[in-house]
Amino acid sequence: KGQNRGGRGRGRGGWQGECQSASEEMPKYITASTFAQARAAEINAMLKAVAQKSSNSLVFQTLPRHMRRRAMSHNIKRLPRRLQEIARKEVQVHFVVFEKAVHQKKEQSKTKCRKARRRHINLVAEFNRRQRKNIWLETHIWHAKRFHMVKKWGYCLADRPTEKSYRACYRAMTKHCLLQDLSYYCCLELNGKENELLKQLARICSPDTGLTFGAEFCLSGRFQGSLNLYRADCYPEDMLGPATFIWKPKDGSENRQLWIWVHPALKQHILSELKAIFQCSEPEEICTPEPITTLIQEEKRTDTAVSLGKKRKKEDKDGEKAVPVKKIIGDGTRDPFQPYSWTSPTTGIVISDQTMEILRYRLIGPLSHSVLTETLKPASLQTEMADSETELNNWWVENCKDSEKVSLHQRQTAVFELLEGISSPSEMPAGTILGLTVGDPRVNLPKKKTKAMPDPEKYQDYDKVRQLFLEGIPVECAHSFIWDQNICKNVTENKISEQDLNRMRGQLLVPGSQLDLGPCESKIPVLLVQQPGKMAGEDRPGWGSGWDVYLPKGWGMAFWIPFIYRGVRVGGLQEGLKHSEYKRTPHTPNDYPDCPAGVQFAKELENSLLEKFKRRPPAKRANYVKLGTLSPFLCPWGQLTKNWEERMRASREFVCPSSPHTESCTTAGQGLCEPKPEVVKETSPETGEAEETMEISSEGAIMTEDVAVTQGFGERDETTTRSIFIVLRSEKLLMQLSAWCYPTSGKDRRVRLVSRLGQKEMTDDVLLPILMSYPRALVWVNLSLLRKGNPELHAMICIPTEEDLLHLSKDQLFCGPQEPKHYDIFKHKIQKLKREKKKKKKKKKKEEEEEDNVKALESDPPSVSDKEITEEHKDLILGLWSDPLPDVTSHCSRALLGYVTRGDFSLAAGCGEALGFVSLTGLLHMLHSQPTDKKGLVLLRTPASLQYRFARLNIEV
């Protein structure tokens, strides 16, 4: 108590002293008006603060919880009386705001109700407006209701079905039929003299990789060919991409017609190269594309409608021009002022862009020919016009008057009917072409969906079917009227609409009976091209074979729906990707890292994976630095091939025929004359326990810059090299590598097998020219896991050590070794960077009392240490290795050989399978050092795992 009294006393004394000092400073007089004005301003501010709400809550929400009632939100009388007036004002304010929002929304909306938006004319106008940026296929609406759509390569394409159909699509490809719309593929048409065409086209391809444009059986127009295109006179560098081509059968004239089908991602590069080699600089004068003429007509029609007052003119966002009411057929994004045909003034060769002018459907599966024979019916002969006023089938009537063409049509019909007698399209010669003219497939549409099945009793003529297998389709039967653009235009413009067709069905005496149009039935020229399916390898020959159907534009849905009614299953881009994966063939553009489209695809994939990685919380991310994964989102092909070249250059004894082979420098899994990473014990800062970590040698920690080499291994001037690496596509050399990778149980048997295949034995004399010719090359390989495991994207392909192979021979259930955990050398740098950022934030939050000090601090530049830290660590991300990367081949305990571009559990093989690329130099080093009974064994490790798994490496040619 005494302390309290004393405290009060001291407080009272202090208060008295303050009063005395205040009385001394108090003015002797005040001005009433000035004092009142100052106090009035303060009172107004206080009243405004009291009246203004501090939150967005309503009145009844400010009450204590025990006083709130549910009815207060809509019944003001349930509130206390003192708050009812305020609640009424709130209701009035909210009602006015709501009315304004509704009014603005109505003004902004283009149409008033859904019924108006769903009218056919408005739907077509809206769809045409949406096709200005991305091209729609003719089956777009059908796909958009059933598939996840993606925007790629300037198109809006179906990616994957919305329903669960992964296994169902595989069963369709294996047992029945899978349908895909490949109309987004681009068609480049070349017209000119055959000699001039072949002379220039030979510059962009090589016979070393397989077929060329001058292949005899393809030049006749009987078969479709496929090849890889390069820049002129640049093989094996400057890859442009794969392509397929079809020659029009000879008709007796010097001029020939050629179709080159390419992926849309490759179109611009290949088209530019074709215009360069043929010297096409002047665009050919052609008629205006159809969508533009339609636009002018519809503008006039819309203006007339507006003047009559029946329809209002629909304009786009900018209000520049009216949206066409007629449905767009073909490419709706074409610019009328941009040329789509080019001619060479010297040779007269014409290059035309026929993209979206020819539709392309692909039927995959053993019963695809049954679907074709049930859906398509050969056209009946017609010698008189159905209506003299229209041009319907006038081209067909003229051709039916020619006996030779009638005979040709009958032979084509006989061959087409024989297709139902075969068991699978793979029995036909690869790339077989059959031309045909068919009737309208909508006429013979079944009442309900049925599954097309072969009928062996219907065709008993096995001799003709066997002759068809052996000799193939005759050359004259490959002719089709689809090559004539005038006929295709006539067929497109004179198509019977769905409305007229349904009206005719409604007038039938017996509902549901077959509709017979007679001479009014449209005749459509088509082209059938056999797709060979899986041709390389020994397992599942012919799997995935089928037929491609080429149609004139405008007839997409007329053929699509009848195919659906025959029980086919439809696939998108992902199903096409799996189809090529099970065939073990490269997919465009994913598996072409040496072409511009493949590089662009890899960059986009890296950005998407990196963004997905950053979206996860730091605690939930995989630390790829500790896992020893240098590049989890991108395959560094250039550095991989460069590091293997440097290793081979450092170990000349491996490739020098005069010196004996040194075992110490060629041990599998070690760098050649390179320091092996050491496994050390490191104490974990989190747990305090000792962990095995990888210590990186100083020699391999930083990637050295590329230096021109003039002597030693792989002599070449790197300043003149156009590409960092190439992909080996020489069939002869790939056959040699495939024989060397073949597993065997003894050395003698290996020699007999190699001699039987006509291949050379693996000796230093044979390896030296290969290594000198291709120092930086990649090889396409497929891998099958020996045990459990599921390979993933960007998984690492590594070389097993002698201890790994010895352990596997002793224990057949041995899955594989484990990679020791690496030490994260960037973790402390990132933590230091975070601390520096926190210090800067604290400095900014502090308020300086003196203005001079604040100005002085703002004028002072940041310290040198802060600048260095910011510049050094600005790109650091926790868990990722920052550039530049160290030596990728010797970073881990097992030497890196390559990467996986696609991997998953294979339903076809029943195990994990992967496709990817390996370094040619590393592959030869591994095969040269491995035991004869362990040839082709490698290790696979996914980016987010430390577990290696054994796999068998094969090269299928």
Side-chain angles (χ1 to χ4, degrees), residues 295-306:
L295 177 60
I296 297 172
Q297 295 173 1
E298 292 302 329
E299 281 182 350
K300 295 180 180 179
R301 189 183 307 172
T302 312
D303 293 338
T304 307
V306 171

Side-chain angles (χ1 to χ4, degrees), residues 625-749:
V625 179
K626 288 187 176 181
L627 295 170
T629 306
L630 292 176
S631 182
F633 309 136
L634 180 69
C635 300
W637 303 117
Q639 186 172 350
L640 174 71
T641 54
K642 176 192 168 187
N643 293 150
W644 271 109
E645 182 188 16
E646 292 173 349
R647 292 174 65 149
M648 291 296 104
R649 190 188 304 138
S651 60
R652 297 183 183 179
E653 296 179 357
F654 176 70
V655 297
C656 183
S658 59
S659 60
H661 176 67
T662 307
E663 292 291 334
S664 60
C665 290
T666 59
T667 304
Q670 291 191 19
L672 300 175
C673 301
E674 294 262 350
K676 184 178 179 179
E678 297 180 1
V679 181
V680 298
K681 295 287 183 178
E682 190 80 25
T683 304
S684 174
E686 292 86 357
T687 61
E689 298 177 358
E691 298 180 352
E692 283 190 354
T693 59
M694 293 294 299
E695 185 177 315
I696 304 167
S697 59
S698 59
E699 289 83 1
I702 300 175
M703 181 181 67
T704 57
E705 295 184 1
D706 203 356
V707 182
V709 181
T710 56
Q711 294 181 358
F713 174 78
E715 291 188 13
R716 58 179 184 150
D717 187 4
E718 300 201 3
T719 59
T720 61
T721 303
R722 299 181 184 177
S723 59
I724 303 176
F725 63 91
I726 64 170
V727 175
L728 184 65
R729 295 186 175 91
S730 172
E731 287 191 349
K732 184 178 179 181
L733 191 53
L734 288 175
M735 287 288 290
Q736 182 75 70
L737 293 173
S738 178
W740 288 342
C741 293
Y742 192 83
T744 183
S745 58
K747 186 175 181 180
D748 296 334
R749 185 180 175 187

Side-chain angles (χ1 to χ4, degrees), residues 161-182:
T162 53
E163 63 178 356
K164 293 182 179 180
S165 59
Y166 179 80
R167 291 177 177 269
C169 288
Y170 169 74
R171 286 194 299 267
M173 287 187 284
T174 307
K175 298 179 180 180
H176 193 251
C177 183
L178 181 81
L179 176 63
Q180 286 181 298
D181 189 354
L182 299 185

